[in-house]
Amino acid sequence: MLRYEAEHCDVMCFLQGRVEIILCDIRAGLPRRVMRFFIDGDNHPSNNNAGVVIPPGVAHAICVEGSEDVIMVYGTSTIFHPEFEGRIASEVETAELPTGWQEFLRL
């Protein structure tokens, strides 16, 4: 059986909104390369409409570009196991909601 990080591919298609994607090739034996690009969702017909396949060994980050919500279709080539992910959490992901939002959501 292959290691998770050696076989796990991600596939993404964007239906709404705009995103910035950063890819970093960290595969053994290959030069480290970084790619940054923007994709428009299908609701913004343009030359920037695309689907993305991210192969094993390529670290990636996605950020919403602008104030419009993003709707995406996301698939993986293997069963998703969060404990196998090599996530680098940011302060955005780990920050607590402001008090006003907590009260509004009754958390």
Side-chain angles (χ1 to χ4, degrees), residues 46-61:
S46 73
N47 291 333
N48 291 332
N49 299 124
V52 179
V53 177
I54 301 173
V58 176
H60 52 283

Side-chain angles (χ1 to χ4, degrees), residues 1-2 6 23 33-35 41 52 55-56 59 64 74 77 79 90 92 95 104 106:
M1 180 183 208
L2 289 171
L23 304 176
R33 295 174 53 195
V34 175
M35 179 185 285
V52 179
V64 173
Y74 179 84
S77 62
I79 296 172
S90 73
V92 172
F104 175 75
R106 302 177 201 272

Side-chain angles (χ1 to χ4, degrees), residues 24-34 55-58:
C24 182
D25 194 340
I26 55 174
R27 293 176 284 186
L30 294 173
R32 182 182 174 104
R33 295 174 53 195
V34 175
V58 176

Side-chain angles (χ1 to χ4, degrees), residues 7-50:
E7 65 175 309
H8 179 89
C9 284
D10 293 315
V11 179
M12 300 170 205
C13 295
F14 299 92
L15 306 178
Q16 174 184 298
R18 292 182 164 104
V19 296
E20 174 185 12
I21 298 182
I22 299 172
L23 304 176
C24 182
D25 194 340
I26 55 174
R27 293 176 284 186
L30 294 173
R32 182 182 174 104
R33 295 174 53 195
V34 175
M35 179 185 285
R36 176 182 178 219
F37 55 96
F38 296 85
I39 294 180
D40 293 340
D42 291 341
N43 66 321
H44 298 284
S46 73
N47 291 333
N48 291 332
N49 299 124

